[in-house]
Each structure stands twice: as C-alpha cells, then as structure tokens.
Amino acid sequence: MIGWKFDNSYARLNELMMTKTYPVSVKNPKLVVLNYGLAKELGLDFSNLTEKELADFFTGNQLPEGSEPLAQAYAGHQFGHLSILGDGRAIVLGEHITPTDERFDIQFKGSGRTAYSRGGDGRAALGPMLREYIISEAMYYLNIKTTRSLAVATTGEIVIREKPLKGAVLTRVARSHIRVGTFEYIAIKKDLESLKNLLNYCINRHYPELKIAENKASAFLTAVLDRQIQLITDWMRVGFIHGVMNTDNMAISGETIDYGPCAFMDTYNPETVFSSIDEHGRYAFQNQPGIAQWNLARLAEALVPLLDKDQNKAVDIGEEIIGSFNDKYKKSYMQMMKNKLGIFESRKEDEQLIQDLLNLMFENKFDYTNTFISLMHENNPEIFNNEQFKEWHKRWSARLITTNKPLNSSREIMKQNNPVIIPRNHKVEEALRAANVGDLTVIEKLLSALEQPYLQREDIKMYQTISTDMQYKTFCGT
Ligand code: AMP
Ligand code: MG
C-alpha cells in the first residue's frame, strides 16, 4: 500500500559489519513533520495512513514489510583520536529501491540503544532532529550532495541532556551510511577478506564505473577524493560549516552526513566555528578542505593492504593520491569562486581579485551571503558606500568585460551559484523554539522558503536579516 520495496544488500555482508537490532518501542508517538515531496520521489505514498499509523511507523513501533533493521559497526577519528564507534543511536531499516531503480538507506536516528551505544541512551531530542531536517533539506535544494530527511516524530518520552527535552526520531534517507570510519573499523580488525568485500561493495553501490579498474583500491580512493573535493567546494560556496568532520562523519558516497553542530557562516570570517565542543577550531570554516584531506589520508591507510601487495609501494600509491588533493581542490575552489563572481576564462589577476574581496569582507565584517547578493542586485548601501568596496568593484567590473561574454551570462552564472536564502542561525532557532511548543507554522514557512534558494523574490527579506547574536553557539545535542 505504501510502496516499500526493500533489498537489503548491506545486511548480507559479513556479520562483523553490523549487529541486527530492532528499534526500541516508544510510549506515545506523534508525527511532527513528513516530507511528502521526498516520499513521492521515493515512490512512497503515506496518504492512506491514519495519524496513529504514521506516528507508529516514524518512531519504529511498526516496521515496514521487508525491512531488516541493523546497527552498523564503524570506527572513527574524533578530533584526531581513533575510537571504535558504531550506530549508538541509529538503526538502518534496510535499502528501499525506488521506482526509478535507485537504492537508498532508510535509517532511524534516535531509535534506542544498540550494541554500540556505550554510555549513551540511544535517543535524540526534538530540537537537533528538526535541525538536521531543516539543514539537510536546505542543502538538498542548494544543489549540494546530502542525506535527506523524510520525517521527524516525537516519542512521548523525555530525554535527559543539560535539561529534560522531548525525545524524537528522525527518518533519514541516504545513498548509504558507509563512512571513512567503516573502512577504518575493518582495517583495525585486520580482516583482509572483509576489507576486499567492503571495497567491492562500495564500488558496486557507489562507483560502478570502477568495476573494470585495474587497481580498484587506488581508483576508488581517487574517486572518493574527487567527490569530497566537489562537496567541500560546495560547502565553501554557501558558507556551510559542518562542525564535526570526524572520519566517522564522512560518507564514502560523497554526501554531507551527520548534521550535528553545523551552521552557516554569516559575517565573513574564515576562522568561524560555531560548535561548542570545537575549542581549538579544528573544524573552522577555512580548515574544512585540509581536514577533508586528512580524513582521506585515514581512508588511504585503511586501504593500504589493497593498494599493492608490496607495502612500500602501496604507501607510495596512497601518498600520491592524497598528495593530489591540494592542486585539485585549488582548481575546484577557484572555478567555484569565479562562478560566484560571474567571471569567465582565466586571468592571472583572478586569484588576487578573489582574495581582495574576501579580505575586505573580513575587515568590514560583511555578511558572506549578502555580499554576493549585493553584487548581483546592487541593492545594499552599506556595501556600496564603502570606499574599499568601490575600488574593488571597479576592478571586478573591468575584469568582467575582458571576455566576449555578455554581462547577462555573468549574471546567470552568479544566480546559479549565490543563494539568496540560506538557513540562517537565528531563523532556524526561531523555528525550533516554536516547534518545541507545538507551533509548526514557522518551520513550515522556513522549509518552504528554503526550497527555492536561488530565486530572488519579494517576500524573502526576513530570511536575509543578520542575527545580532555574535556569540552564536551550536551543540551536538547527543
Ligand atoms: P555523532 O557525534 O552524532 O557523529 O556520534 C558519534 C558517536 O556517538 C556515534 O557512534 C554515535 O552513534 C554515538 N552517539 C551519539 N549520541 C548517542 C546517544 N544518545 N546514545 C548512544 N550513542 C550515541
Ligand atoms: Mg556521526
């Protein structure tokens, strides 16, 4: 009736990789949001379900036919230190195959304790689950690879954090939940057969074009690196700060995953950190490319036994691939910034032009997103009366006419790359506060505005205002 079609390939892997576990049932479930648009894309129809059935389904009280729930095992470097982790508060129900033959993990987050919960309660609070829902959907509409959110439901139970909070379950949809940390886990176990199986599994599922590669491990490492470069470039384009780029929070598929203390930068400052647990700024805005490379080096280490039979040679191969990150990233970043500025072709002064804009944004505390909106629409007196900016604007205008491309094409490419709406921290908080006391109108309006982030229109000024809270902090909420 709903349209579920499960084919659980991960559940058929070596049992080392998982623990079969059921969600822990909850007392008094209630649906908060359901993403009907996403459901439709997945070929799922929830319209014939009663409120009670929906609530039971989206908290795990009632499982869909064909699911084989399991918690995945993984390890991960957290703030640089290796630990054995695993799904401590998440359960993968299985893989749903859509009508167009695409495969997606359906996962509950906050569905109770598992074999990997360690001291945790396996539960999640409403605020952080709605936050993931809002930001992941915003990322999707910004054209950035990401896991998605199908629903959030409250459990009717209280979870204890700094204070008692409403418990909730998020239903997450992802290409897969395999992480750099999944490879690290198998590498720690020193089980070569399982490592080979995992590599082949990931190639089949995410990089089928590599099935014929001569050296599969090196082709895979290169392909994962290329997708991460694209992803980080996109984050930098919109001012997204993931906040906790541990290796267990980096997906092999190239999707943004595990939204915790993430947030969008407002005032431009490359050292911006919002996460309360990131004391030393390891995951600051400007550090994200370097951290991605560091994480990929951990993937390379895990793959060493498969890169070559000769260990020295294997290390050389790995180092060469990881070493290619910097040049590739710089190229990708430059192209992205040129798109944001509507610049075609390459000139030797381009890098300086870009850097000078960033410097003047930093010195004058300009808002990152709004500065690019101003460049497109010339509607911001604060920026346009600034002498430093006026100088820079002359240079930019002169650069634009060095090619034969009409200015319209510049404007077009700028519009596709510079969002006019992002989920600003104070707007997200406002929506969460309202939702927490049962008012869903604010979050619904915000979600709907975020569906068209590149469309300039009349009624969006309220989403472009800058928060006055300069000390904004985010919490993992675990
Ligand atoms: P995260 O910071 O959400 O990426 O989680 C890091 C690790 O902590 C993962 O292994 C999670 O499964 C685990 N974890 C986070 N929150 C909880 C919780 N409330 N109960 C049990 N495990 C948790
Ligand atoms: Mg995580």
Short mmCIF file of all heavy atoms in Angstrom, two decimals, residues 29-79:
data_model
loop_
_atom_site.label_atom_id
_atom_site.label_comp_id
_atom_site.label_asym_id
_atom_site.label_seq_id
_atom_site.Cartn_x
_atom_site.Cartn_y
_atom_site.Cartn_z
N PRO A 29 3.92 7.99 20.54
CA PRO A 29 4.49 8.65 19.37
C PRO A 29 3.53 9.63 18.70
O PRO A 29 2.31 9.45 18.76
CB PRO A 29 4.76 7.48 18.43
CG PRO A 29 3.78 6.43 18.82
CD PRO A 29 3.59 6.57 20.30
N LYS A 30 4.15 10.66 18.09
CA LYS A 30 3.33 11.65 17.38
C LYS A 30 4.17 12.22 16.22
O LYS A 30 5.32 12.62 16.41
CB LYS A 30 2.97 12.77 18.37
CG LYS A 30 1.92 13.71 17.85
CD LYS A 30 1.30 14.52 19.01
CE LYS A 30 0.25 15.49 18.49
NZ LYS A 30 0.80 16.72 17.95
N LEU A 31 3.59 12.21 15.05
CA LEU A 31 4.31 12.74 13.88
C LEU A 31 4.40 14.26 13.97
O LEU A 31 3.42 14.93 14.28
CB LEU A 31 3.56 12.34 12.60
CG LEU A 31 4.24 12.75 11.30
CD1 LEU A 31 5.54 11.97 11.09
CD2 LEU A 31 3.31 12.55 10.11
N VAL A 32 5.60 14.79 13.68
CA VAL A 32 5.77 16.24 13.70
C VAL A 32 5.84 16.79 12.27
O VAL A 32 5.11 17.70 11.90
CB VAL A 32 7.05 16.64 14.49
CG1 VAL A 32 7.23 18.16 14.49
CG2 VAL A 32 6.96 16.12 15.92
N VAL A 33 6.75 16.25 11.46
CA VAL A 33 6.80 16.63 10.03
C VAL A 33 7.00 15.41 9.16
O VAL A 33 7.71 14.46 9.54
CB VAL A 33 7.97 17.60 9.67
CG1 VAL A 33 7.56 19.03 9.80
CG2 VAL A 33 9.22 17.29 10.44
N LEU A 34 6.41 15.45 7.99
CA LEU A 34 6.61 14.39 6.99
C LEU A 34 6.89 15.08 5.67
O LEU A 34 6.18 16.01 5.28
CB LEU A 34 5.35 13.52 6.92
CG LEU A 34 5.28 12.45 5.82
CD1 LEU A 34 6.52 11.59 5.77
CD2 LEU A 34 4.05 11.57 6.02
N ASN A 35 7.93 14.64 5.00
CA ASN A 35 8.38 15.24 3.75
C ASN A 35 7.67 14.56 2.58
O ASN A 35 8.17 13.59 2.01
CB ASN A 35 9.91 15.06 3.67
CG ASN A 35 10.53 15.87 2.58
OD1 ASN A 35 9.88 16.25 1.61
ND2 ASN A 35 11.82 16.13 2.73
N TYR A 36 6.49 15.08 2.23
CA TYR A 36 5.68 14.43 1.19
C TYR A 36 6.38 14.48 -0.18
O TYR A 36 6.25 13.56 -0.98
CB TYR A 36 4.29 15.07 1.12
CG TYR A 36 3.40 14.60 2.26
CD1 TYR A 36 3.22 15.37 3.40
CD2 TYR A 36 2.77 13.36 2.19
CE1 TYR A 36 2.42 14.93 4.46
CE2 TYR A 36 1.96 12.90 3.24
CZ TYR A 36 1.80 13.70 4.36
OH TYR A 36 1.02 13.24 5.39
N GLY A 37 7.13 15.57 -0.42
CA GLY A 37 7.85 15.68 -1.69
C GLY A 37 8.87 14.56 -1.84
O GLY A 37 8.94 13.89 -2.88
N LEU A 38 9.65 14.35 -0.78
CA LEU A 38 10.66 13.29 -0.82
C LEU A 38 9.99 11.92 -0.92
O LEU A 38 10.43 11.04 -1.68
CB LEU A 38 11.55 13.37 0.43
CG LEU A 38 12.57 12.25 0.61
CD1 LEU A 38 13.52 12.15 -0.59
CD2 LEU A 38 13.39 12.46 1.90
N ALA A 39 8.90 11.74 -0.15
CA ALA A 39 8.19 10.45 -0.19
C ALA A 39 7.79 10.13 -1.63
O ALA A 39 7.98 9.01 -2.12
CB ALA A 39 6.96 10.50 0.71
N LYS A 40 7.29 11.13 -2.32
CA LYS A 40 6.86 10.93 -3.71
C LYS A 40 8.04 10.51 -4.59
O LYS A 40 7.94 9.58 -5.39
CB LYS A 40 6.22 12.22 -4.22
CG LYS A 40 5.41 12.00 -5.45
CD LYS A 40 4.50 13.18 -5.76
CE LYS A 40 3.88 12.93 -7.13
NZ LYS A 40 3.74 14.15 -7.91
N GLU A 41 9.17 11.20 -4.42
CA GLU A 41 10.37 10.86 -5.20
C GLU A 41 10.80 9.42 -4.95
O GLU A 41 11.36 8.76 -5.81
CB GLU A 41 11.54 11.78 -4.84
CG GLU A 41 11.45 13.17 -5.44
CD GLU A 41 12.58 14.07 -4.94
OE1 GLU A 41 13.73 13.61 -4.89
OE2 GLU A 41 12.28 15.22 -4.57
N LEU A 42 10.56 8.95 -3.73
CA LEU A 42 10.96 7.59 -3.36
C LEU A 42 9.92 6.56 -3.80
O LEU A 42 10.13 5.35 -3.63
CB LEU A 42 11.17 7.48 -1.85
CG LEU A 42 12.31 8.31 -1.24
CD1 LEU A 42 12.25 8.28 0.28
CD2 LEU A 42 13.67 7.80 -1.73
N GLY A 43 8.80 7.03 -4.32
CA GLY A 43 7.73 6.11 -4.72
C GLY A 43 6.92 5.62 -3.53
O GLY A 43 6.36 4.52 -3.55
N LEU A 44 6.87 6.43 -2.46
CA LEU A 44 6.14 6.04 -1.26
C LEU A 44 4.90 6.92 -1.09
O LEU A 44 4.96 8.12 -1.31
CB LEU A 44 7.04 6.20 -0.02
CG LEU A 44 8.33 5.39 -0.03
CD1 LEU A 44 9.20 5.74 1.17
CD2 LEU A 44 8.05 3.89 -0.07
N ASP A 45 3.80 6.28 -0.71
CA ASP A 45 2.55 7.02 -0.54
C ASP A 45 2.01 6.79 0.87
O ASP A 45 1.56 5.70 1.20
CB ASP A 45 1.54 6.55 -1.60
CG ASP A 45 0.20 7.26 -1.45
OD1 ASP A 45 0.10 8.19 -0.61
OD2 ASP A 45 -0.75 6.87 -2.15
N PHE A 46 2.06 7.83 1.68
CA PHE A 46 1.62 7.71 3.08
C PHE A 46 0.21 8.27 3.28
O PHE A 46 -0.26 8.38 4.41
CB PHE A 46 2.59 8.44 4.01
CG PHE A 46 3.96 7.79 4.07
CD1 PHE A 46 5.03 8.32 3.35
CD2 PHE A 46 4.16 6.64 4.82
CE1 PHE A 46 6.28 7.71 3.40
CE2 PHE A 46 5.41 6.04 4.87
CZ PHE A 46 6.47 6.58 4.15
N SER A 47 -0.45 8.65 2.18
CA SER A 47 -1.70 9.41 2.32
C SER A 47 -2.85 8.58 2.89
O SER A 47 -3.80 9.15 3.41
CB SER A 47 -2.10 10.04 0.98
OG SER A 47 -2.32 9.02 0.05
N ASN A 48 -2.76 7.25 2.81
CA ASN A 48 -3.87 6.43 3.33
C ASN A 48 -3.69 6.00 4.77
O ASN A 48 -4.51 5.25 5.30
CB ASN A 48 -4.05 5.19 2.45
CG ASN A 48 -4.51 5.58 1.06
OD1 ASN A 48 -5.35 6.47 0.93
ND2 ASN A 48 -3.93 4.97 0.04
N LEU A 49 -2.60 6.46 5.40
CA LEU A 49 -2.35 6.04 6.78
C LEU A 49 -3.04 6.98 7.77
O LEU A 49 -3.12 8.18 7.53
CB LEU A 49 -0.85 6.00 7.07
CG LEU A 49 -0.16 4.67 6.77
CD1 LEU A 49 -0.19 4.38 5.29
CD2 LEU A 49 1.26 4.66 7.28
N THR A 50 -3.49 6.41 8.87
CA THR A 50 -4.07 7.25 9.92
C THR A 50 -2.93 7.93 10.67
O THR A 50 -1.77 7.53 10.56
CB THR A 50 -4.85 6.40 10.94
OG1 THR A 50 -3.92 5.53 11.60
CG2 THR A 50 -5.94 5.59 10.27
N GLU A 51 -3.30 8.94 11.45
CA GLU A 51 -2.30 9.65 12.24
C GLU A 51 -1.53 8.69 13.14
O GLU A 51 -0.31 8.78 13.30
CB GLU A 51 -3.00 10.69 13.12
CG GLU A 51 -2.46 12.09 12.97
CD GLU A 51 -3.31 13.09 13.71
OE1 GLU A 51 -3.02 13.28 14.91
OE2 GLU A 51 -4.25 13.64 13.12
N LYS A 52 -2.25 7.74 13.72
CA LYS A 52 -1.63 6.78 14.65
C LYS A 52 -0.65 5.87 13.89
O LYS A 52 0.44 5.59 14.37
CB LYS A 52 -2.74 5.97 15.33
CG LYS A 52 -2.30 4.69 16.01
CD LYS A 52 -2.68 4.68 17.49
CE LYS A 52 -2.16 3.51 18.29
NZ LYS A 52 -0.89 2.95 17.96
N GLU A 53 -1.08 5.43 12.71
CA GLU A 53 -0.20 4.56 11.92
C GLU A 53 1.08 5.30 11.52
O GLU A 53 2.19 4.74 11.58
CB GLU A 53 -0.94 4.07 10.66
CG GLU A 53 -1.97 2.98 10.97
CD GLU A 53 -2.88 2.68 9.78
OE1 GLU A 53 -3.17 3.59 8.97
OE2 GLU A 53 -3.32 1.52 9.68
N LEU A 54 0.94 6.56 11.12
CA LEU A 54 2.12 7.36 10.74
C LEU A 54 3.06 7.52 11.93
O LEU A 54 4.28 7.35 11.81
CB LEU A 54 1.69 8.75 10.26
CG LEU A 54 1.05 8.83 8.87
CD1 LEU A 54 0.47 10.22 8.63
CD2 LEU A 54 2.08 8.49 7.79
N ALA A 55 2.48 7.84 13.08
CA ALA A 55 3.29 8.05 14.29
C ALA A 55 4.00 6.75 14.67
O ALA A 55 5.18 6.76 15.01
CB ALA A 55 2.40 8.52 15.43
N ASP A 56 3.30 5.63 14.58
CA ASP A 56 3.92 4.35 14.91
C ASP A 56 5.03 4.01 13.94
O ASP A 56 6.08 3.52 14.31
CB ASP A 56 2.86 3.22 14.88
CG ASP A 56 2.11 3.13 16.20
OD1 ASP A 56 2.67 3.57 17.22
OD2 ASP A 56 0.96 2.63 16.20
N PHE A 57 4.78 4.29 12.67
CA PHE A 57 5.81 3.96 11.70
C PHE A 57 7.06 4.80 11.90
O PHE A 57 8.18 4.28 11.96
CB PHE A 57 5.30 4.10 10.25
CG PHE A 57 6.46 3.91 9.34
CD1 PHE A 57 7.04 2.65 9.22
CD2 PHE A 57 7.07 4.98 8.74
CE1 PHE A 57 8.20 2.47 8.48
CE2 PHE A 57 8.23 4.81 8.00
CZ PHE A 57 8.79 3.55 7.87
N PHE A 58 6.90 6.14 12.06
CA PHE A 58 8.08 7.00 12.07
C PHE A 58 8.80 7.07 13.42
O PHE A 58 9.68 7.89 13.62
CB PHE A 58 7.74 8.39 11.53
CG PHE A 58 7.55 8.38 10.03
CD1 PHE A 58 6.31 8.59 9.45
CD2 PHE A 58 8.63 8.12 9.20
CE1 PHE A 58 6.14 8.56 8.08
CE2 PHE A 58 8.48 8.08 7.82
CZ PHE A 58 7.23 8.31 7.26
N THR A 59 8.41 6.20 14.34
CA THR A 59 9.20 6.04 15.57
C THR A 59 9.71 4.62 15.72
O THR A 59 10.41 4.30 16.68
CB THR A 59 8.34 6.36 16.81
OG1 THR A 59 7.11 5.66 16.70
CG2 THR A 59 8.08 7.85 16.93
N GLY A 60 9.33 3.74 14.81
CA GLY A 60 9.82 2.37 14.87
C GLY A 60 8.92 1.42 15.63
O GLY A 60 9.27 0.26 15.84
N ASN A 61 7.76 1.89 16.08
CA ASN A 61 6.83 0.97 16.76
C ASN A 61 6.28 -0.06 15.79
O ASN A 61 5.98 -1.20 16.17
CB ASN A 61 5.66 1.76 17.37
CG ASN A 61 6.02 2.33 18.74
OD1 ASN A 61 7.16 2.18 19.18
ND2 ASN A 61 5.08 2.98 19.38
N GLN A 62 6.15 0.34 14.53
CA GLN A 62 5.64 -0.56 13.50
C GLN A 62 6.64 -0.55 12.34
O GLN A 62 6.89 0.49 11.76
CB GLN A 62 4.27 -0.02 13.03
CG GLN A 62 3.61 -0.79 11.93
CD GLN A 62 3.09 -2.12 12.43
OE1 GLN A 62 2.39 -2.17 13.44
NE2 GLN A 62 3.45 -3.20 11.74
N LEU A 63 7.21 -1.72 12.02
CA LEU A 63 8.25 -1.74 10.97
C LEU A 63 7.66 -2.04 9.60
O LEU A 63 6.70 -2.79 9.48
CB LEU A 63 9.30 -2.79 11.31
CG LEU A 63 10.20 -2.44 12.48
CD1 LEU A 63 11.14 -3.59 12.80
CD2 LEU A 63 11.01 -1.18 12.17
N PRO A 64 8.23 -1.45 8.54
CA PRO A 64 7.72 -1.75 7.20
C PRO A 64 8.10 -3.17 6.78
O PRO A 64 9.16 -3.68 7.17
CB PRO A 64 8.43 -0.72 6.31
CG PRO A 64 9.63 -0.29 7.06
CD PRO A 64 9.32 -0.46 8.52
N GLU A 65 7.24 -3.75 5.99
CA GLU A 65 7.47 -5.10 5.50
C GLU A 65 8.74 -5.13 4.65
O GLU A 65 8.95 -4.23 3.82
CB GLU A 65 6.29 -5.50 4.62
CG GLU A 65 6.03 -7.00 4.61
CD GLU A 65 4.78 -7.32 3.80
OE1 GLU A 65 3.70 -6.77 4.17
OE2 GLU A 65 4.89 -8.06 2.83
N GLY A 66 9.58 -6.11 4.88
CA GLY A 66 10.80 -6.23 4.07
C GLY A 66 12.01 -5.59 4.70
O GLY A 66 13.13 -5.75 4.22
N SER A 67 11.81 -4.87 5.80
CA SER A 67 12.97 -4.26 6.45
C SER A 67 13.70 -5.30 7.28
O SER A 67 13.12 -6.29 7.72
CB SER A 67 12.52 -3.08 7.33
OG SER A 67 11.64 -3.52 8.33
N GLU A 68 15.01 -5.08 7.47
CA GLU A 68 15.85 -5.97 8.31
C GLU A 68 16.74 -5.07 9.14
O GLU A 68 17.90 -4.85 8.80
CB GLU A 68 16.74 -6.86 7.43
CG GLU A 68 16.03 -7.95 6.68
CD GLU A 68 17.00 -8.66 5.74
OE1 GLU A 68 17.76 -9.53 6.23
OE2 GLU A 68 17.02 -8.34 4.55
N PRO A 69 16.19 -4.51 10.21
CA PRO A 69 16.91 -3.47 10.95
C PRO A 69 18.26 -3.93 11.50
O PRO A 69 18.39 -5.06 11.98
CB PRO A 69 15.97 -3.09 12.08
CG PRO A 69 14.82 -4.02 12.03
CD PRO A 69 14.87 -4.80 10.78
N LEU A 70 19.23 -3.03 11.41
CA LEU A 70 20.57 -3.34 11.92
C LEU A 70 21.28 -2.05 12.31
O LEU A 70 20.98 -0.98 11.79
CB LEU A 70 21.39 -4.09 10.85
CG LEU A 70 21.59 -3.42 9.50
CD1 LEU A 70 22.84 -2.55 9.47
CD2 LEU A 70 21.69 -4.49 8.41
N ALA A 71 22.21 -2.18 13.25
CA ALA A 71 23.09 -1.08 13.61
C ALA A 71 24.43 -1.36 12.95
O ALA A 71 24.93 -2.49 13.00
CB ALA A 71 23.24 -0.99 15.12
N GLN A 72 25.01 -0.36 12.29
CA GLN A 72 26.27 -0.56 11.58
C GLN A 72 27.46 -0.35 12.52
O GLN A 72 27.45 0.53 13.37
CB GLN A 72 26.37 0.40 10.40
CG GLN A 72 25.32 0.11 9.33
CD GLN A 72 25.49 0.98 8.08
OE1 GLN A 72 26.17 2.01 8.11
NE2 GLN A 72 24.85 0.55 7.00
N ALA A 73 28.48 -1.18 12.30
CA ALA A 73 29.72 -1.03 13.06
C ALA A 73 30.64 -0.07 12.30
O ALA A 73 30.69 -0.09 11.08
CB ALA A 73 30.40 -2.39 13.20
N TYR A 74 31.31 0.80 13.00
CA TYR A 74 32.37 1.62 12.39
C TYR A 74 33.28 2.16 13.47
O TYR A 74 32.97 2.08 14.67
CB TYR A 74 31.80 2.74 11.52
CG TYR A 74 30.76 3.65 12.15
CD1 TYR A 74 31.15 4.75 12.92
CD2 TYR A 74 29.41 3.43 11.97
CE1 TYR A 74 30.21 5.61 13.49
CE2 TYR A 74 28.45 4.27 12.53
CZ TYR A 74 28.86 5.36 13.30
OH TYR A 74 27.92 6.19 13.85
N ALA A 75 34.42 2.67 13.00
CA ALA A 75 35.35 3.33 13.91
C ALA A 75 35.40 4.79 13.48
O ALA A 75 34.56 5.22 12.68
CB ALA A 75 36.72 2.68 13.83
N GLY A 76 36.33 5.54 14.00
CA GLY A 76 36.46 6.90 13.52
C GLY A 76 37.47 7.70 14.32
O GLY A 76 37.67 7.44 15.51
N HIS A 77 38.12 8.63 13.62
CA HIS A 77 38.99 9.59 14.30
C HIS A 77 38.13 10.77 14.73
O HIS A 77 37.63 11.51 13.88
CB HIS A 77 40.11 10.06 13.37
CG HIS A 77 41.27 9.11 13.32
ND1 HIS A 77 41.29 8.00 12.51
CD2 HIS A 77 42.45 9.11 14.01
CE1 HIS A 77 42.44 7.36 12.69
NE2 HIS A 77 43.17 8.01 13.59
N GLN A 78 37.94 10.92 16.03
CA GLN A 78 37.17 12.05 16.55
C GLN A 78 38.15 13.09 17.07
O GLN A 78 38.92 12.80 17.97
CB GLN A 78 36.25 11.58 17.68
CG GLN A 78 35.26 10.51 17.21
CD GLN A 78 34.30 10.12 18.31
OE1 GLN A 78 34.73 9.61 19.35
NE2 GLN A 78 33.02 10.34 18.09
N PHE A 79 38.12 14.27 16.46
CA PHE A 79 39.08 15.33 16.79
C PHE A 79 40.51 14.76 16.81
O PHE A 79 41.30 15.08 17.69
CB PHE A 79 38.72 16.00 18.12
CG PHE A 79 37.46 16.83 18.01
CD1 PHE A 79 36.22 16.26 18.28
CD2 PHE A 79 37.51 18.16 17.60
CE1 PHE A 79 35.05 17.01 18.14
CE2 PHE A 79 36.35 18.91 17.47
CZ PHE A 79 35.12 18.34 17.74
#
